[in-house]
Amino acid sequence: MGTSVQVTPLCGVYNENPLSYLVSVDGFNFLIDCGWNDHFDPALLQPLSRVASTIDAVLISHPDTLHLGALPYAMKQLGLSAPVYSTEPVYRLGLLTMYDQFIARKQVSEFDLFTLDDIDSAFQVVTRLTYSQNHHLSGKGEGIVIAPHVAGHLLGGTLWKITKDGEDVIYAVDFNHRKERHLNGTILESFVRPAVLITDAYNALNNQPYRRQKDKEFGDTIQKTLRANGNVLLPVDTAGRVLELIQILEWYWEEESLNFPIFFLTYVASSTIDYIKSFLEWMSDSIAKSFEHTRNNAFLLKHVTLLINKSELDNAPDGPKVVLASMASLEAGYSHDIFVEWATDAKNLVLFSERGQFGTLARMLQSDPPPKAVKVTVSKRVPLTGDELVAYEEEQNRKKEEALKASLLKEEQSKASHGTDNDTGDPMIIDASSNVAPDVVGSHGGAYRDIFIDGFVPPSTSVSPMFPFYENTSAWDDFGEVINPDDYVIKDEDMDQSAPHGGVDVDGKLDETAANLILDMKPSKVVSNELTVQVKCSLHYMDFEGRSDGRSIKSILSHVAPLKLVLVHGTAEATEHLKQHCLKNVCPHVYAPQIEETIDVTSDLCAYKVQLSEKLMSNVLFKKLGDYEISWLDADVGKTENGTLSLLPLSKAALPHKSVLVGDLKMADFKQFLSSKGIQVEFAGGALRCGEYVTLRKVSDASQKGGGSGTQQVVIEGPLCEDYYKIRELLYSQFYLL
C-alpha cells in the first residue's frame, strides 16, 4: 500500500466557519490551519480540544483570523504544544492581526480568552519557511517533507505540499490564479496527479468580471460618492486584502488626479505598512522589478494616510473622505464606530469588498440592504470614579495582602525545607514572621530573594538595624576571578520577553496609541449602550476577496487531476455542486466529510523503496529536466544483505523500448517560440494554426478523468510538406527524448 493518509475536519465544512483540519500522514498528525471567527465562540473549538494534545505539527496557510485566530487560545487552554510552520509574512502579519483583534475587543469588553502574552507565546514557536523550501521533519515525522507554495490570496499565503515516499498531499484553500497588483497568482496548476488534494468549495458558485474592469468600477463608485459630498467607509481586515485595495486606490487617485483624503485606520496601521515595505520579494513580479530598476517601493504611499487613533480622524479637516478601517465584520474595531456615526447620512457609502462572516453585522447588511433600522451595541472603556474606584482599590489591596501572605508562607516553607539554622540575633537576618508588608520581591543574581520593607521596621531582636546584605564570595584561580560564561549569555526567552507588545514596527517599537492602551493601568470599566441606527447610507458590495471563481476552480482541478479529492469550506450547496462536477470531470474519488468524520484517502498505488547499485549508476546518463535529472533505466531487481530491494545491471542485453518524450507543452509558450522562428501562427478553434497548412492541437485520453494528467497527446495535422517537418522538429525540441 501507499502512504497512509486520513483527513478529519475539525471546523469549516458544509459552511463558511473558520478553517481547521486534522491530516494524518503515516501516523504523524498535522493540524492545518487553526482559525476562529470574529465572534470568538469557544464552542467552535470543541472538536479541536479533543485532539489538540495529539497534534505533532501545525501548518498555517494565511495571516487572517479565519486561518490562525484560535492559535493563542489553543496553546493556552487546549493543550496544543506542537511546532508551527508558516511563511515569514504569515508570521508577521498574523501577529499584527491578532494584536489588532485583541486591542479592539479589550476596548469594548472584558475580553479574557487570551492575552498579549498568549499571542506572543503562540507565535514564538513558529518556524518560518520561504516559498518552495523543502523542510524535512525529524523524529516521529522522519521521511516527511513539507513545503509552502504561492497561494495568491494574501501576502505570504500558502499552499502546503506534504510529501512522503514520493506521494504528495496538497492542501490548497483560498487560492487565486489571477495576478493582482501586489501578488502573483497561485502555482497550483504546476502540481500534476498528486495522491490527495484538499481544497475548498467557497467560491464554486461565483464568477467574476475581468480585473481591470473591476478596478475601474471600484474607483468610479467611490469617486461618485465623494463628488456628491459623501464619505466612504471600507470595512477591511488588518493586514490581508486591504493591501490590494490600497494599491488600487493609489493607482486610481494617480490616474484621476484626485485630492480627496484617504485614511487607513487600525490599531497597528503604521506597523503593518512598515513590515509590508520589507516584504517586496514576496509580492508580484511587477512590484519587485519596479523596485529593482527604480528603487521605487510600491508601499511608500502618496495618497493614503496612516492613522492609529480615531481622534486623529475626528480632527481631520471637514469634507469628503475615504476611510479603510478594521474590522471587516463590523463586529468591533474602528469600522464599527464609524459605521454607527455615518450610517444615518444618505450621502455616505459603506463599500464592502468581501462577504461578511456568517452572523455578523456586515453579513446582515449585505443580505438585507437598507433603508432599514438595525440594533447595535456601542461600548467604550471609561475610568472608574467615586465609590467604584474606592471599591476597586480595596479589592486590589485585598489581593495584594493575599499574595503577600502566600509569598511569606512560601518563603517560610522554603527555609524550613533547606534546614536553615539562622541566628535570630544576627543583625543581617530579618524575621520572616514579622507582620511587615514587603512592597517588592525581586531576584538578586538568581541566587537570593531580597525583601525590601516599606518603612523598614526591623525585628526587635536585631542588634543593629540594617537592610539585608550578602557578601559576594567569588572563586579565584591563578589568572584572577573565575568567570561563569552562562552569566553573560542572553537567553532567547529573555529576548522575547523584553520585546514590547502591541502594534510593533520593524524596530520592535509600539504604535504610540497601542502602547498607551496596553500600558495604561488606570482602573476602568466598559460602558455599553444599545442603539437603534437608521441606516440611510448606501451599501455596495464588490468582490475583492482575491479567490479564484467557480469556472477557474473547475478548470484548475481538471488540470491538476488528483487521484483523490477532498472538499472542505463552502456552503452545502457549493460543496455539493463542486463534488458532482468533479466526480464527472476530475476524478472518481471525491470526498466531502462532515465535522469529526475521518476519511481514509490512502493511495491505492504500491510504493517501494529501492537502492540503486553503484555498478548500475556508473552507466546511467541523466538529462536535466527543470529542477530534476531524469534517465531511462533497464535493470534487474534483487535484494541486498539487509533485505532492501536493489536495482542491479541487467545480466543480458536490454530489450529495445519506444522513445519517450518527457515534458509539459504549453500551447501559448509554443506559439511565442514559433513566432520567434519566423513562422506565422495563431489560435483558431482551440488549436494552434501554424503557417498555411499545419495545425497543432492537444487531445486528452477520453477514458481518463482530468485533462491535465500525463495522458495528453499533441497531434500534428497537415500535409507532408517542408513546413510540416520543420514544425515537427521544433515541437520535438520542446521535449526530452528518452
Side-chain angles (χ1 to χ4, degrees):
M1 293 294 290
T3 301
S4 171
V5 181
Q6 289 81 35
V7 179
T8 308
L10 303 177
C11 189
V13 291
Y14 285 102
N15 54 40
E16 298 175 7
N17 281 342
L19 297 86
S20 184
Y21 310 101
L22 178 66
V23 178
S24 179
V25 178
D26 276 352
F28 189 90
N29 293 329
F30 288 98
L31 175 64
I32 310 187
D33 283 334
C34 187
W36 218 348
N37 59 15
D38 278 9
H39 290 300
F40 288 98
D41 180 7
L44 284 174
L45 306 183
Q46 286 299 317
L48 174 59
S49 67
R50 288 188 273 272
V51 299
S53 60
T54 67
I55 302 297
D56 298 305
V58 182
L59 308 181
I60 301 296
S61 64
H62 294 88
D64 61 357
T65 312
L66 286 175
H67 295 85
L68 55 71
L71 194 60
Y73 182 83
M75 289 197 163
K76 177 186 179 182
Q77 303 286 0
L78 305 184
L80 179 64
S81 59
V84 183
Y85 299 91
S86 77
T87 59
E88 182 72 23
V90 168
Y91 164 76
R92 294 291 180 188
L93 302 182
L95 187 63
L96 291 176
T97 296
M98 295 311 298
Y99 283 154
D100 197 33
Q101 287 278 15
F102 174 82
I103 298 170
R105 275 154 181 77
K106 200 65 177 175
Q107 281 284 59
V108 297
S109 67
E110 301 299 340
F111 187 79
D112 60 356
L113 293 175
F114 53 83
T115 65
L116 290 167
D117 286 333
D118 298 330
I119 296 171
D120 287 341
S121 298
F123 280 84
Q124 280 173 10
V125 298
V126 175
T127 299
R128 282 94 84 184
L129 306 176
T130 59
Y131 282 145
S132 302
Q133 175 186 346
N134 289 326
H135 181 80
H136 297 260
L137 301 181
S138 57
K140 184 179 177 182
E142 186 71 37
I144 298 177
V145 181
I146 59 174
H149 295 274
V150 180
H153 172 53
L154 301 179
L155 185 62
T158 303
L159 311 178
W160 283 103
K161 182 172 79 167
I162 306 170
T163 304
K164 176 77 182 289
D165 294 337
E167 294 188 13
D168 294 335
V169 177
I170 308 294
Y171 175 79
V173 299
D174 294 333
F175 58 84
N176 185 15
H177 70 290
R178 297 187 181 189
K179 184 177 180 180
E180 296 188 306
R181 293 184 183 276
H182 84 295
L183 292 177
N184 288 324
T186 184
I187 64 161
L188 179 57
E189 287 183 278
S190 66
F191 301 119
V192 177
R193 303 294 281 174
V196 181
L197 173 63
I198 304 169
T199 191
D200 65 307
Y202 188 77
N203 246 13
L205 298 176
N206 298 336
N207 291 311
Q208 299 170 344
Y210 292 110
R211 196 197 83 184
R212 283 194 170 276
Q213 171 189 340
K214 189 170 63 171
D215 291 359
K216 183 72 165 57
E217 184 183 346
F218 176 76
D220 290 345
T221 302
I222 292 175
Q223 184 179 186
K224 182 180 178 182
T225 300
L226 296 173
R227 296 286 186 197
N229 208 34
N231 296 316
V232 180
L233 170 64
L234 285 88
V236 295
D237 51 18
T238 302
R241 292 303 302 170
V242 64
L243 304 179
E244 181 71 10
L245 299 180
I246 287 175
Q247 286 297 301
I248 294 172
L249 290 172
E250 285 278 325
W251 162 78
Y252 189 84
W253 254 237
E254 199 71 33
E255 286 282 307
E256 300 290 327
S257 300
L258 301 178
N259 57 7
F260 297 105
I262 306 173
F263 300 106
F264 177 35
L265 175 62
T266 74
Y267 289 102
V268 291
S270 58
S271 300
T272 301
I273 299 302
D274 282 343
Y275 272 131
I276 296 302
K277 290 175 187 174
S278 64
F279 288 147
L280 298 186
E281 72 273 20
W282 297 85
M283 298 186 191
S284 65
D285 294 337
S286 58
I287 286 180
K289 287 177 181 177
S290 173
F291 182 76
E292 184 179 336
H293 294 146
T294 66
R295 312 309 291 176
N296 177 37
N297 192 314
F299 281 89
L300 285 173
L301 306 175
K302 299 177 182 177
H303 303 283
V304 178
T305 303
L306 307 179
L307 304 180
I308 54 177
N309 192 326
K310 189 171 177 294
S311 63
E312 296 176 283
L313 178 66
D314 295 337
N315 295 331
D318 292 336
K321 60 181 73 71
V322 179
V323 177
L324 301 96
S326 62
M327 306 294 173
S329 63
L330 294 179
E331 286 296 301
Y334 290 130
S335 63
H336 176 273
D337 299 337
I338 296 172
F339 170 77
V340 172
E341 292 178 16
W342 290 3
T344 55
D345 191 337
K347 291 183 294 184
N348 295 334
L349 168 67
V350 177
L351 180 53
F352 295 103
S353 58
E354 59 183 72
R355 278 168 282 179
Q357 296 177 24
F358 185 77
T360 62
L361 176 59
R363 185 62 166 263
M364 183 179 68
L365 292 170
Q366 291 169 13
S367 59
D368 186 13
K372 62 184 296 184
V374 296
K375 287 187 177 180
V376 297
T377 302
V378 178
S379 303
K380 64 178 180 179
R381 189 170 288 278
V382 297
L384 292 180
T385 57
D387 293 340
E388 289 180 325
L389 180 58
V390 172
Y392 173 84
E393 290 174 343
E394 289 176 352
E395 177 67 15
Q396 292 302 109
N397 289 334
R398 185 184 63 79
K399 290 181 179 178
K400 283 182 180 179
E401 288 177 3
E402 290 178 355
L404 165 63
K405 289 178 182 177
S407 175
L408 292 175
L409 181 61
K410 186 176 180 182
E411 191 80 15
E412 253 183 25
Q413 291 173 345
S414 176
K415 286 182 179 179
S417 64
H418 286 84
T420 56
D421 53 349
N422 297 327
D423 184 357
T424 56
D426 192 332
M428 309 307 250
I429 302 301
I430 293 180
D431 184 5
S433 63
S434 172
N435 295 324
V436 185
D439 187 47
V440 179
V441 177
S443 63
H444 182 278
Y448 305 102
R449 301 286 292 182
D450 295 344
I451 302 179
F452 295 88
I453 301 179
D454 186 16
F456 184 57
V457 180
S460 57
T461 55
S462 296
V463 178
S464 302
M466 62 186 298
F467 282 99
F469 171 78
Y470 303 100
E471 184 178 357
N472 182 18
T473 56
S474 303
W476 293 74
D477 60 14
D478 293 341
F479 301 96
E481 184 178 352
V482 176
I483 294 175
N484 181 8
D486 292 339
D487 292 342
Y488 299 90
V489 175
I490 300 176
K491 298 179 181 179
D492 291 340
E493 54 265 31
D494 294 337
M495 290 289 289
D496 293 330
Q497 289 170 3
S498 66
H501 300 298
V504 291
D505 61 17
V506 289
D507 298 320
K509 297 178 181 177
L510 285 167
D511 282 341
E512 185 179 351
T513 302
N516 290 340
L517 169 69
I518 298 162
L519 302 176
D520 185 7
M521 303 302 291
K522 293 179 181 177
S524 62
K525 66 176 180 178
V526 174
V527 177
S528 299
N529 293 313
E530 195 169 278
L531 302 178
T532 299
V533 178
Q534 300 295 329
V535 182
K536 299 177 182 178
C537 66
S538 300
L539 259 68
H540 199 57
Y541 168 71
M542 299 183 71
D543 186 357
F544 281 91
E545 293 180 339
R547 295 182 175 93
S548 293
D549 60 3
R551 181 174 57 249
S552 303
I553 290 171
K554 294 169 186 174
S555 174
I556 292 171
L557 292 181
S558 295
H559 181 86
V560 176
L563 298 178
K564 295 187 178 181
L565 178 65
V566 181
L567 298 178
V568 297
H569 198 236
T571 62
E573 183 184 3
T575 303
E576 194 59 34
H577 170 82
L578 189 57
K579 180 179 179 180
Q580 295 305 320
H581 169 85
C582 292
L583 283 170
K584 293 178 182 177
N585 302 285
V586 178
C587 68
H589 304 288
V590 182
Y591 306 88
Q594 299 284 352
I595 295 292
E596 295 190 278
E597 176 189 354
T598 300
I599 56 169
D600 191 331
V601 286
T602 300
S603 171
D604 298 326
L605 301 176
C606 292
Y608 300 94
K609 290 183 179 179
V610 296
Q611 182 177 325
L612 303 180
S613 66
E614 291 184 11
K615 287 184 179 179
L616 180 67
M617 293 298 293
S618 63
N619 297 319
V620 172
L621 296 177
F622 284 98
K623 293 186 178 181
K624 188 78 173 174
L625 177 61
D627 296 333
Y628 303 94
E629 291 183 337
I630 60 173
S631 178
W632 179 280
L633 277 180
D634 288 298
D636 288 330
V637 179
K639 284 190 176 182
T640 61
E641 294 179 357
N642 58 10
T644 305
L645 293 178
S646 177
L647 295 185
L648 307 170
L650 289 174
S651 56
K652 56 183 180 181
L655 298 174
H657 67 271
K658 291 183 179 181
S659 297
V660 178
L661 295 173
V662 180
D664 183 19
L665 180 72
K666 290 185 169 52
M667 298 294 273
D669 294 341
F670 190 53
K671 175 179 178 291
Q672 292 184 354
F673 177 71
L674 292 178
S675 297
S676 68
K677 298 296 181 181
I679 298 174
Q680 189 175 358
V681 58
E682 64 179 357
F683 280 109
L688 197 61
R689 186 160 185 168
C690 311
E692 197 171 344
Y693 306 109
V694 181
T695 301
L696 270 71
R697 69 177 75 247
K698 272 189 175 182
V699 179
S700 299
D701 184 349
S703 65
Q704 296 289 330
K705 292 184 179 181
S709 68
T711 61
Q712 284 194 332
Q713 296 179 338
V714 180
V715 178
I716 310 178
E717 299 173 345
L720 300 179
C721 58
E722 185 178 346
D723 281 353
Y724 177 89
Y725 290 108
K726 181 180 179 181
I727 292 168
R728 188 180 70 172
E729 188 74 20
L730 293 172
L731 177 63
Y732 285 168
S733 71
Q734 304 300 299
F735 294 90
Y736 293 85
L737 182 64
L738 296 178

